[in-house]
Amino acid sequence: MKKNRNILVTGGAGYIGSHTVVELINKGFNPVIVDDFRNSDPKVLDGIKSITGKEALLRVVDVTNKKQLKAVFEEFSFSGIIHFAAYKAVNESVDKPLAYYRNNIDGLLNCLELAEEFNGLNFVFSSSCTVYGEPKDIKVVTELTETQEASSPYGATKQMCERIISDVHKSGSPIRLLNLRYFNPVGAHPSAEIGELPIGKPNNLIPFINQTAAGILNELIVFGNDYSTEDGTCIRDYFHVVDLAEAHIKGYEWLNNLDGPKLETINVGTGNGSSVLEIIHIFEKISNESLKWKFGPRREGDIEQIYADTSKAQELISWSAERTIEDAITDAWNWQKKLGNE
Ligand code: UFG
């Protein structure tokens, strides 16, 4: 293992970023968070401190501002970058495509240019199963499954970012590159000190369920009941956000032990799917709450079902999800109870 333990974590105050920062600190790394809090809250730093006992280093910088970002590279000597900072709301991206292309592509370009300028660092990129689009026949996708047209500008930015990363690698760049294609990370830290903090009305299922049960929202609309699945609702590969954080650590350590440039792409999920109705039932059982919900029309752009073939993650970085969907829903509900009606 190379000695330098400093890692730049862009978007480190966000949902997945903050859980990863906790695991990095627990493993003896020195993460430096770069975040401008446009989609996160500074109080996450208190949560990180309560869990780890350590103050995470923070620089309030917009990753699309290369000058400011470069100053962070000059201040610290990094062994690599975990690049989370990006916009991620599918619906919003349809309304604001330019903001999504500008932010997600510029942020990546700046990080890659600086990674090259600073002699080829380790680089983990937050990609998404959205790059697969709607899979044709097989719903279990491997990293080699042909990608389809992205269903949103957000998805297109992830495909473009992966393309940029691939071209950089082909050019002979010294950067060691890893794309992690996340399926549906959910849950919160079991301490209930950090978790998801959606700004405004949540788009995603688990925060929507939690806020409905907490009385913040009136009722959950289940988008569609006429899909070709057993109960007619969509199926997703949900998994615990702490498992995802651990995938970043294992991926990072794998990169750190390489002798030269490399590019790999890995699915991060469980290989098992749950339907929307199954999730509601698990939630009701765990929380002892009766959730108010009803069926509504399909949501545009939704994919019927998709799950990860996770064998590559196991083979390459020895990672597989250890926590259950019940663990994730329990932790997410405990986090919501701690937030109260916020
Ligand atoms: N759902 C509802 N009602 C809601 C919210 C969601 O029925 O109020 C359903 C959706 O229709 C879907 C499932 O719950 O069937 C999961 O929806 P999420 O929004 O939680 O997750 P998605 O799979 O749609 O989106 C996630 C990430 C995206 C990423 C996408 C890739 O949030 O960033 O996976 O497929 F692009």
Side-chain angles (χ1 to χ4, degrees):
M1 171 77 65
K2 295 167 187 108
K3 287 257 165 57
N4 182 350
R5 307 289 279 174
N6 293 347
I7 301 179
L8 172 66
V9 186
T10 73
Y15 172 47
I16 303 169
S18 57
H19 288 81
T20 302
V21 165
V22 164
E23 297 310 316
L24 284 169
I25 294 174
N26 286 344
K27 282 270 159 27
F29 287 99
N30 307 319
V32 177
I33 297 174
V34 157
D35 206 299
D36 64 1
F37 299 114
R38 75 177 71 179
N39 269 332
S40 57
D41 193 307
K43 74 180 171 209
V44 79
L45 277 300
D46 300 334
I48 293 172
K49 191 172 177 203
S50 326
I51 299 168
T52 63
K54 291 210 173 112
E55 202 92 50
L57 281 163
L58 165 75
R59 293 295 174 265
V60 182
V61 163
D62 169 0
V63 287
T64 66
N65 183 327
K66 190 166 173 198
K67 204 168 151 223
Q68 284 181 12
L69 191 60
K70 186 170 179 182
V72 183
F73 278 77
E74 281 162 349
E75 183 181 358
F76 300 92
S77 157
F78 292 118
S79 66
I81 306 166
I82 304 182
H83 180 47
F84 293 105
Y87 290 147
K88 62 160 193 176
V90 175
N91 292 350
E92 187 185 52
S93 77
V94 176
D95 296 334
K96 299 180 185 169
L98 291 175
Y100 270 68
Y101 289 114
R102 171 66 72 195
N103 188 53
N104 292 6
I105 308 292
D106 270 5
L108 176 79
L109 291 175
N110 285 345
C111 288
L112 288 173
E113 282 174 354
L114 289 165
E116 278 203 346
E117 206 176 316
F118 287 77
N119 298 323
L121 308 174
N122 303 314
F123 192 92
V124 180
F125 176 63
S126 287
S127 191
S128 163
C129 69
T130 195
V131 300
Y132 293 111
E134 173 89 55
K136 277 204 174 125
D137 309 312
I138 308 158
K139 307 300 178 191
V140 181
V141 291
T142 76
E143 294 77 0
L144 296 175
T145 301
E146 203 188 329
T147 58
Q148 307 296 325
E149 197 184 330
S151 63
S152 68
Y154 159 74
T157 69
K158 291 294 170 188
Q159 288 183 336
M160 284 176 195
C161 286
E162 284 202 12
R163 170 68 198 257
I164 291 166
I165 287 170
S166 165
D167 288 342
V168 165
H169 177 66
K170 284 187 200 146
S171 74
S173 167
I175 311 173
R176 296 173 290 276
L177 298 149
L178 179 64
N179 295 319
L180 297 183
R181 290 181 178 163
Y182 314 153
F183 281 65
N184 285 63
V186 294
H189 196 269
S191 64
E193 293 289 346
I194 55 170
E196 201 164 359
L197 279 173
I199 291 177
K201 199 170 169 182
N203 296 307
N204 299 115
L205 181 62
I206 302 292
F208 208 108
I209 288 178
N210 283 325
Q211 292 196 9
T212 306
I216 301 165
L217 299 171
N218 281 339
E219 67 180 346
L220 169 78
I221 308 295
V222 174
F223 298 137
N225 62 351
D226 57 352
Y227 286 99
S228 310
T229 59
E230 217 159 281
D231 63 21
T233 66
C234 291
I235 296 180
R236 294 286 183 278
D237 187 339
Y238 299 96
F239 68 110
H240 202 297
V241 66
V242 175
D243 277 323
L244 178 56
E246 287 173 359
H248 287 83
I249 313 303
K250 291 207 164 161
Y252 194 89
E253 284 174 338
W254 174 79
L255 284 176
N256 211 27
N257 284 320
L258 292 171
D259 290 328
K262 182 108 183 149
L263 164 61
E264 288 288 356
T265 298
I266 304 177
N267 284 341
V268 190
T270 66
N272 300 310
S274 307
S275 73
V276 179
L277 291 187
E278 281 168 344
I279 294 290
I280 293 175
H281 294 144
I282 296 170
F283 174 81
E284 288 186 324
K285 202 164 158 217
I286 284 170
S287 64
N288 248 331
E289 300 279 334
S290 151
L291 191 77
K292 221 174 145 213
W293 67 271
K294 68 174 184 200
F295 286 122
R298 290 182 176 199
R299 178 171 71 177
E300 208 185 316
D302 257 346
I303 282 158
E304 180 181 282
Q305 49 184 318
I306 182 166
Y307 346 80
D309 180 314
T310 59
S311 25
K312 190 168 171 192
Q314 179 62 49
E315 279 155 28
L316 199 72
I317 63 168
S318 305
W319 178 88
S320 59
E322 285 174 2
R323 295 157 184 87
T324 63
I325 181 68
E326 285 80 7
D327 295 333
I329 290 178
T330 303
D331 293 335
W333 179 234
N334 286 336
W335 166 243
Q336 182 64 54
K337 282 192 290 189
K338 187 173 175 205
L339 289 177
N341 293 336
E342 259 180 65

